[in-house]
Amino acid sequence: KAGVTQTPRYLIKTRGQQVTLSCSPISGHRSVSWYQQTPGQGLQFLFEYFSETQRNKGNFPGRFSGRQFSNSRSEMNVSTLELGDSALYLCASRFLAGGNNEQFFGPGTRLTVL
Amino acid sequence: KQEVTQIPAALSVPEGENLVLNCSFTDSAIYNLQWFRQDPGKGLTSLLLIQSSQREQTSGRLNASLDKSSGRSTLYIAASQPGDSATYLCAVLAGGGADGLTFGKGTHLIIQP
């Protein structure tokens, strides 16, 4: 069974631009979560989608948004990029049924904002 | 607000030693706890998941314990190998399973050959 995949793996953008990251979950998993990892703050939860609906959201500004498609693939968008948005963005998927909440992570997208 | 702390922040030991990594959390109302490893520049690999009703889980040379009442978990690695070198992260899931994971800052482990 294929793992969680993320594209692209690396991105370089400039301040003020916007960016879209993509995540494909493990087959059969309907929940996709997004996390930001920085050296200073560590791993922080952005949001989670299940059945195309946002279930919950972390403490991030509205510039960070996401969506989920009917095939469970998810995209995350960051508008008006700031230098501080440079980070490794990780997505995770889980089955989310029958108490099975083990989360599996993708390889991440490394975003650099210049 | 849930906070997760991992001690030590870094650890360097010779190959073959048994070692213990510690994780503590402030709110005992967790749904489960998960241990991950992260290699430099890579994503997270799930090692062990402990449900809130369980006391421990084992996988190969790894054993994780959970004491929910005291807000602590330990990851025991037996007979360490250089390939175990990585950052180990502890994360808790709360809110009845509805919240996002709350992570510790990790323990950076180096196993010397």
Side-chain angles (χ1 to χ4, degrees), chain B residues 75-90:
Chain B
L75 179 66
Y76 175 83
I77 302 176
S80 58
Q81 303 170 357
D84 295 331
S85 298
T87 296
Y88 289 79
L89 293 151
C90 161

Side-chain angles (χ1 to χ4, degrees), chain B residues 32-88:
Chain B
N32 64 36
L33 184 145
Q34 203 166 348
W35 282 94
F36 297 90
R37 70 172 277 169
Q38 185 175 31
D39 294 285
K42 303 287 179 65
L44 277 59
T45 300
S46 179
L47 298 173
L48 289 165
L49 171 75
I50 310 178
Q51 302 289 359
S52 61
S53 59
Q54 297 175 320
R55 294 301 297 263
E56 67 178 329
Q57 281 286 351
T58 298
S59 176
R61 295 182 294 107
L62 305 179
N63 175 275
S65 68
L66 174 64
D67 184 342
K68 218 174 68 156
S69 61
S70 68
R72 294 174 190 274
S73 175
T74 61
L75 179 66
Y76 175 83
I77 302 176
S80 58
Q81 303 170 357
D84 295 331
S85 298
T87 296
Y88 289 79

Side-chain angles (χ1 to χ4, degrees), chain A residues 9-10 35 37 40-43 45 48 55-56 88 90 94 96 99-108 110, chain B residues 31-32 34 36 38 41-49 51 89 93 96-105:
Chain A
R9 295 293 313 279
Y10 302 91
Y35 292 82
Q37 186 176 31
Q41 299 298 318
L43 272 151
F45 171 71
E48 180 182 19
R55 289 185 81 220
N56 47 49
L88 181 66
L90 294 159
R94 54 176 167 162
L96 201 59
N100 188 344
N101 279 287
E102 185 171 8
Q103 303 209 29
F104 298 89
F105 281 75
R110 171 75 63 186
Chain B
Y31 190 81
N32 64 36
Q34 203 166 348
F36 297 90
Q38 185 175 31
K42 303 287 179 65
L44 277 59
T45 300
S46 179
L47 298 173
L48 289 165
L49 171 75
Q51 302 289 359
L89 293 151
L93 185 66
D99 290 350
L101 289 168
T102 301
F103 282 86
K105 292 291 179 70

